[in-house]
Amino acid sequence: MLAPMIERAQPWSDSETLVTADAGYHSDANVQQLHDNVTPTLSADGQMRKRYERFEGRDKHKAKPDPLSDKKASGAPTEIKFFRPKDFNFNGEDNTATCPERQVSSRYRSVHLSASGHPYQTYIAQASDCAACALRGQCLKKRRSKMDDKKAATNEQAPQVARVFPRLMDFSHPSELMRQAIDSPRGRQVYSQRIGTVEPVFANLRNNKRLNRLNLRGQARRQ
C-alpha cells in the first residue's frame, strides 16, 4: 500500500518532500522500489528501536502481569516446555549438533536462505537414537504433515533442528542504506517528527471520534 499512497500524495509534494513510513511498510521490495524511483524516504524497520539507545530499558516500565495469572490448581498436570534451537549446542568444528540429552547429530543439510534472508542449516537426528529418549516428549514442537504422521506410525520420525546464522550484510543494498540513514543522528531527528505529526491524528480518530471499528480496507469495499 506504500507506493499507491505516495503516488496519491504527489499533488501535495515538492522537491523537498521527505516520506516517512513506520515499520509496517518496511520490506526489501518496498525499499527497493523507493530506491528505483528516487523517492526520498525514511522507513523504520522492525529492529530500529532495539538499535536506538533511547529505548534501552523501556521494558521495565511495562505493566507487570498478575502474579496469580499463571497459578495452577493443586494437582494440575505440569505444562510441557518444548525445547527450542537455543537449547541445542552447535559445534562448528565438526559441523554437528548436540541435543539437551547430549545426543550428537552429524546428519545435516546444506545451508539455505529463509524468506527473511537469514541463512540456516538443518540437522537431522537418527531415529534410533531418539526412540528411547526420556525427553522425546519435550523435543522440538513443530507443525506436523501427513508424511510426519506416517513416519511416526512406523517409529521412523526423527527430530530436526535448524541453526540460524546471522544475516549476510550487503552494505550497498537499499535496505541496508535505509538502516544507516534512519540510524544517523539526522535520520532519528527527522523520523521522530513523524510521531508528533501522525500519531495525534490516529488518537483523535480512535479515542475522540470513536472510529475504531473500521474493518474494511480500500475505497471499493467501503462503497
Side-chain angles (χ1 to χ4, degrees):
M1 298 176 65
L2 181 60
M5 286 193 293
I6 294 176
E7 183 179 355
R8 293 289 296 272
Q10 286 300 320
W12 297 273
S13 303
D14 56 34
S15 59
E16 297 184 359
T17 297
L18 173 69
V19 177
T20 58
D22 64 19
Y25 297 99
H26 186 95
S27 67
D28 287 346
N30 273 349
V31 175
Q32 182 68 57
Q33 185 176 16
L34 294 168
H35 179 268
D36 294 341
N37 295 338
V38 196
T39 304
T41 307
L42 280 178
S43 176
D45 59 275
Q47 302 297 316
M48 185 198 72
R49 290 178 180 266
K50 293 184 178 180
R51 299 192 303 269
Y52 196 179
E53 59 276 3
R54 179 181 177 183
F55 295 100
E56 287 184 4
R58 61 177 176 164
D59 290 341
K60 67 181 180 182
H61 300 291
K62 291 183 179 180
K64 302 296 187 297
D66 184 348
L68 300 180
S69 61
D70 59 350
K71 259 188 99 64
K72 300 183 183 300
S74 178
T78 304
E79 181 183 358
I80 296 179
K81 300 294 184 181
F82 288 92
F83 295 119
R84 309 307 302 163
K86 65 180 182 179
D87 299 313
F88 290 71
N89 292 324
F90 298 101
N91 313 307
E93 298 80 7
D94 54 359
N95 207 9
T96 59
T98 305
C99 75
E101 193 66 358
R102 297 186 296 279
Q103 290 287 347
V104 178
S105 174
S106 58
R107 295 174 57 202
Y108 60 89
R109 293 173 180 164
S110 58
V111 177
H112 300 277
L113 285 179
S114 66
S116 59
H118 286 82
Y120 70 95
Q121 189 171 30
T122 304
Y123 293 83
I124 309 168
Q126 297 286 348
S128 57
D129 293 337
C130 302
C133 179
L135 303 179
R136 186 173 183 177
Q138 296 175 249
C139 213
L140 304 159
K141 182 180 182 180
K142 63 184 182 66
R143 201 174 286 171
R144 297 173 65 90
S145 65
K146 292 183 179 179
M147 183 61 70
D148 291 333
D149 293 333
K150 184 177 180 180
K151 289 183 178 180
T154 57
N155 294 323
E156 294 179 358
Q157 187 184 23
Q160 302 181 13
V161 60
R163 177 188 186 185
V164 180
F165 298 94
R167 181 174 179 174
L168 300 177
M169 287 294 182
D170 180 3
F171 294 100
S172 63
H173 193 279
S175 293
E176 182 57 31
L177 295 176
M178 181 70 74
R179 292 188 189 95
Q180 296 175 22
I182 206 167
D183 285 347
S184 67
R186 175 61 176 163
R188 289 175 175 175
Q189 177 189 6
V190 173
Y191 187 78
S192 65
Q193 297 177 16
R194 176 197 163 275
I195 299 176
T197 303
V198 179
E199 299 299 339
V201 178
F202 297 153
N204 180 48
L205 290 173
R206 292 174 60 87
N207 188 67
N208 298 334
K209 299 183 182 301
R210 300 296 183 184
L211 297 178
N212 54 4
R213 296 176 180 270
L214 303 178
N215 298 322
L216 303 180
R217 293 185 177 182
Q219 291 184 351
R221 296 193 65 183
R222 289 199 299 268
Q223 293 175 350

